[in-house]
Amino acid sequence: MQRICVIGGSRYFGKLLVQRLQAAGHQVTVINRGSTPPPPGAEHLVADRDDEDALLAVLGTRTFDVVVDQVCYTPVQAETAVRVFSGRTRRYVMTSTIEVYDPATAALPAVAQDTPVPEEHVDPAVWRVRTDLPWHDEAYRDTHYAEGKRQAEAVLTRAGAFAFASVRSAHVLGGGAREFTGRLAYYTERLARGAEISVHARELPTVFIHYEELADLLLWAATATGFTGPLNACSDGLTDVRDLAAALAAESGRQPVYRTVAEGEPAGPFSFDRHYAMSNSRAKELGYAFSRAADWLPRAAAESVAASTAPAA
């Protein structure tokens, strides 16, 4: 049994992670702002992670084997985490994102379109940190999501306060109504209405991961391995927005109607005209076995269609 602290963990794959940690016999403490209780049996500490004094007060003398941070979005939050958890944990795992590789959000080296992007493409050990930027402004944070994650990784990597690992998650699907981003539901709803789906003239594929697989990988990263540094987390196989629409069409019986956007015009979510599909080779070398996206995508589509047709509570 290990003592695990999960920051966030109140919904979607974070909530499932807490449940799977408990099922594996670990002692789990969840820290969130109190709007959603954790699964039964988990200790619940209520605090805003941006309030350092409140975090210190609610933690008291508690120590942990591992902290899993589901909601670290900025270097300022990362610096707070370093101060609060230094001496309280031996290992810190942060949930990061594929968006750190998006060439539209930073001046990154070019990658050949047929080459999966490896972790070293964005090295947090050398990434510049700017805590003087307006990270406390929610609108700024939302529009600089990828950069916030890059800089948060950089702060935690260079702190040296604990063994640090970041899990760079692919786009997450599955779970129907639990999939709070609404991106797959966006396509489900447009198919149901016969509305056009905006796509790029040349679609470039990306990578995805099922929310259950991401919870399993985070469980593994927290309790079954000691790797440090960034790790890409994605199911095997490239997928594009037309593949998603086709899976939804197979479940709903409605055919997608596409509209090609002009150059520079935005398309719908998961429609990409730039390449940053990740490589998952490092995780495999460390012993993690991924599923194939093509195997679970029909189930994710079925869950999304079922959620869209379920009567309102």
Side-chain angles (χ1 to χ4, degrees):
M1 182 184 73
Q2 297 188 54
R3 297 182 306 277
I4 313 291
C5 176
V6 179
I7 307 175
S10 60
R11 59 181 179 176
Y12 206 27
F13 61 84
K15 182 176 182 179
L16 183 58
L17 168 64
V18 171
Q19 293 170 332
R20 295 199 170 174
L21 285 166
Q22 292 177 296
H26 301 293
Q27 179 181 324
V28 184
T29 296
V30 174
I31 301 175
N32 62 31
R33 290 179 292 186
S35 59
T36 305
E43 181 184 32
H44 188 197
L45 303 180
V46 178
D48 186 333
R49 68 150 316 129
D50 293 320
D51 187 334
E52 186 169 341
D53 290 339
L55 273 176
L56 288 168
V58 77
L59 283 166
T61 60
R62 290 172 178 82
T63 60
F64 306 98
D65 295 298
V66 187
V67 174
V68 182
D69 194 339
Q70 298 281 74
V71 289
C72 188
Y73 301 117
T74 75
V76 175
Q77 291 176 329
E79 286 189 340
T80 298
V82 170
R83 290 190 295 268
V84 169
F85 289 98
S86 179
R88 291 184 187 272
T89 187
R90 59 176 176 80
R91 180 168 175 77
Y92 200 100
V93 178
M94 170 188 157
T95 303
S96 190
T97 173
I98 185 177
E99 304 297 337
V100 301
Y101 301 116
D102 187 351
T105 64
L108 297 170
V111 179
Q113 289 185 2
D114 295 330
T115 303
V117 181
E119 287 85 355
E120 55 266 27
H121 193 62
V122 173
D123 182 358
V126 298
W127 198 265
R128 186 184 183 193
V129 173
R130 292 282 308 279
T131 55
D132 58 318
L133 297 173
W135 294 113
H136 294 291
D137 182 283
E138 186 174 354
Y140 181 88
R141 189 167 64 235
D142 289 347
T143 57
H144 294 79
Y145 172 71
E147 183 59 20
K149 286 289 191 180
R150 285 187 285 259
Q151 293 192 27
E153 286 190 38
V155 168
L156 290 160
T157 296
R158 299 202 284 259
F162 28 63
F164 173 65
S166 58
V167 174
R168 293 173 175 169
S169 169
H171 309 292
V172 187
L173 295 178
R178 290 186 292 275
E179 191 180 320
F180 68 91
T181 67
R183 290 178 293 184
L184 194 58
Y186 167 87
Y187 290 109
T188 304
E189 184 271 338
R190 295 192 79 77
L191 274 172
R193 292 194 295 111
E196 292 180 334
I197 294 174
S198 299
V199 296
H200 291 100
R202 185 182 176 214
E203 283 295 333
L204 293 180
T206 187
V207 285
F208 293 88
I209 190 166
H210 193 271
Y211 84 107
E212 293 178 350
E213 184 165 34
L214 182 54
D216 287 338
L217 186 139
L218 288 166
L219 170 66
W220 170 79
T223 65
T225 180
F227 78 89
T228 58
L231 184 90
N232 293 338
C234 58
S235 300
D236 289 335
L238 298 176
T239 307
D240 65 27
V241 69
R242 292 176 184 264
D243 297 324
L244 298 182
L248 291 168
E251 293 297 328
S252 66
R254 297 177 179 272
Q255 293 305 306
V257 179
Y258 295 108
R259 180 182 72 86
T260 302
V261 300
E263 186 174 353
E265 181 186 354
F270 301 139
S271 180
F272 299 106
D273 59 355
R274 56 201 185 276
H275 166 73
Y276 58 105
M278 298 187 299
S279 166
N280 60 14
S281 294
R282 186 183 184 216
K284 289 180 176 179
E285 290 166 1
L286 290 167
Y288 194 84
F290 288 98
S291 67
R292 294 176 65 250
D295 291 338
W296 56 255
L297 183 56
R299 175 162 60 101
E303 290 167 346
S304 184
V305 171
S308 72
T309 57

